[in-house]
Amino acid sequence: MITRRLASLALVLLLAAVIPAFGAPAQRRDGPMPPAMPQGLPAGWLEAAWEAYKKHFVRSGRVVDDVNRISHSEGQGYAMLIAVKAGDRTGFDEIWRWTKQELFIDPSGLAAWQWKEQASPHVTDKNNATDGDILIAWALIEAGEKWKSAEYVDAARSILSALGRTVIAPNEAGPVLLPGRLGFSVEDHSDGQVLNLSYWVFPAFERLRGLAPEIDWAGVQASGLRLLRESRFGPMRLPSDWIAVGSAPPAPAKSFPPRFSYNAIRIPLYLAWAKIEQPDLLRPFAGLWNEKLNLGPFEIELPSGSALDTLGGVGFKAVVATAKCALARQKLHASLRIIEPGAYYPTTLHILSLIALQERYPECL
């Protein structure tokens, strides 16, 4: 009787077999072309998706992660960014007001990453999450430009200055983003700096560079791409959520489970949204979901490559579909054009994936 782990591995190998092999060019498909799909997304889709999102996840400016039953800087930043894209200044202001009041409480100038309604005080960890701060700053820059607000721009500049002082650290690969100002340096871990490559929000860097040119954002981007290329673990050639970078090549960090999971699934979205067209980086992610067989995407145990649980939620499929578009201009599956709110995280990634495709790869729509 085959074990669950062997069955999972068989699924992963099946996924790998139905996409172009790692490092090989995409193959042209013979035979008649499928019927053409209508181009683009319906007018007003983002505004409608945003209104539904607010109804499900936003409470007086606080974005609720309903699965983890917390609010966090990442969620505030994502929601602010979607609000700007949807042109909702009232919603943006409400979320930014709550974020500023409740999370920016530390002298570091960075947002506390975790807030719990049932706790007293509500902030249960004042350490920051660097991706959350980047998302908030990026949203403020976009809002400042859209609505001609110097106040938003000044707030973004202050956050970027704090990031430059506290979480951008030297590394052999170049300047890197520590995931937080506390707890991730070489002094904290025996296997070196502990990094999270999904915190490299690649589509934000050009905008951040325009406002804070004194920070080497080009170097930060280059280090992220280099580390991603060096962090290919197991037969699926995927990065772990958390890597350690010491004197040896990158490896899954000892302080965290060695798996590709809910953090690293964002990496292909950010690569595609920034239009970083490097097939060798994108191709491993394309194997995470086979839409024909409706398999995946999966959490992957590293370095064995065994499939664990399925990443639940349509939004994770949308991320993989975005990678396939950037890799081979594969059209978006019809089922992914409709956003139906589920849990906070996959719903957020679904909306962001469609925004990225609309901005960067409209031909896939």
Side-chain angles (χ1 to χ4, degrees):
M1 180 176 179
I2 191 168
T3 65
R4 180 176 181 273
R5 183 171 298 279
L6 288 175
S8 297
L9 180 55
L11 287 178
V12 174
L13 294 176
L14 176 61
L15 286 173
V18 296
I19 63 165
F22 178 78
Q27 300 297 310
R28 183 177 180 135
R29 181 182 298 170
D30 295 326
M33 295 295 291
M37 296 178 65
Q39 294 296 306
L41 296 167
W45 76 269
L46 179 54
E47 291 79 2
W50 171 237
E51 289 302 317
Y53 189 93
K54 285 195 296 183
K55 180 179 179 180
H56 280 79
F57 306 116
V58 183
R59 304 287 181 267
S60 301
R62 177 171 67 90
V63 181
V64 180
D65 179 339
D66 53 345
V67 172
N68 294 302
R69 301 179 66 184
I70 60 174
S71 295
H72 37 61
S73 57
E74 165 213 287
Q76 300 302 119
Y78 280 143
M80 289 169 63
L81 190 59
I82 298 171
V84 175
K85 301 290 185 180
D88 179 9
R89 185 167 186 177
T90 299
F92 178 91
D93 280 338
E94 184 178 51
I95 297 166
W96 170 229
R97 189 180 308 114
W98 186 93
T99 305
K100 186 166 48 174
Q101 176 179 319
E102 297 291 335
L103 300 186
F104 282 90
I105 60 174
D106 189 83
S108 67
L110 298 175
W113 85 271
Q114 185 181 91
W115 191 99
K116 290 185 179 180
E117 185 174 22
Q118 64 272 28
S120 181
H122 291 306
V123 170
T124 56
D125 189 343
K126 289 186 178 182
N127 200 10
N128 74 301
T130 297
D131 65 327
D133 291 298
I134 288 174
L135 290 165
I136 292 168
W138 181 20
L140 286 165
I141 294 170
E142 299 287 346
E145 181 176 287
K146 180 184 284 287
W147 294 309
K148 311 300 180 188
S149 170
E151 179 182 349
Y152 298 150
V153 175
D154 287 344
R157 185 180 290 109
S158 177
I159 295 169
L160 296 181
S161 177
L163 287 170
R165 291 193 306 268
T166 58
V167 302
I168 297 180
N171 183 280
E172 182 183 340
V176 297
L177 296 170
L178 297 178
R181 58 191 173 83
L182 302 173
F184 299 97
S185 69
V186 292
E187 291 79 21
D188 300 307
H189 298 274
S190 61
D191 47 347
Q193 289 173 326
V194 170
L195 306 176
N196 187 318
L197 292 174
S198 76
Y199 283 29
W200 266 255
V201 188
F202 292 114
F205 292 156
E206 182 178 353
R207 302 292 274 154
L208 305 188
R209 182 164 56 245
L211 185 60
E214 70 279 6
I215 297 174
D216 185 8
W217 295 110
V220 170
Q221 173 160 312
S223 73
L225 296 177
R226 174 179 168 179
L227 289 171
L228 181 57
R229 186 166 280 111
E230 295 175 352
S231 301
R232 294 166 164 174
F233 310 127
M236 294 293 288
R237 309 293 285 167
L238 290 165
S240 55
D241 283 352
W242 299 90
I243 65 170
V245 183
S247 56
K254 295 177 181 178
S255 302
F256 294 88
R259 64 183 56 173
F260 171 92
S261 187
Y262 290 95
N263 280 271
I265 189 64
R266 298 177 291 184
I267 294 171
L269 169 60
Y270 293 155
L271 289 171
W273 200 349
K275 212 160 188 179
I276 297 173
E277 296 184 314
Q278 300 187 21
D280 64 315
L281 295 183
L282 282 165
R283 190 167 288 114
F285 301 104
L288 290 167
W289 175 48
N290 182 333
E291 62 268 36
K292 291 183 179 179
L293 301 177
N294 197 27
L295 293 175
F298 297 102
E299 289 185 90
I300 306 295
E301 183 180 72
L302 302 170
S304 71
S306 298
L308 300 173
D309 294 328
T310 302
L311 294 171
V314 175
F316 301 115
K317 297 178 180 179
V319 170
V320 177
T322 302
K324 291 183 177 184
C325 167
L327 184 64
R329 301 303 187 268
Q330 180 171 315
K331 300 289 186 181
L332 186 71
H333 195 273
S335 64
L336 301 180
R337 294 169 177 264
I338 301 171
I339 296 174
E340 296 181 355
Y344 148 78
Y345 189 46
T347 303
T348 301
L349 294 183
H350 196 171
I351 294 174
L352 295 175
S353 295
L354 294 187
I355 291 173
L357 288 171
Q358 192 168 58
E359 291 183 353
R360 295 296 197 176
Y361 297 98
E363 64 269 30
C364 292
L365 299 172

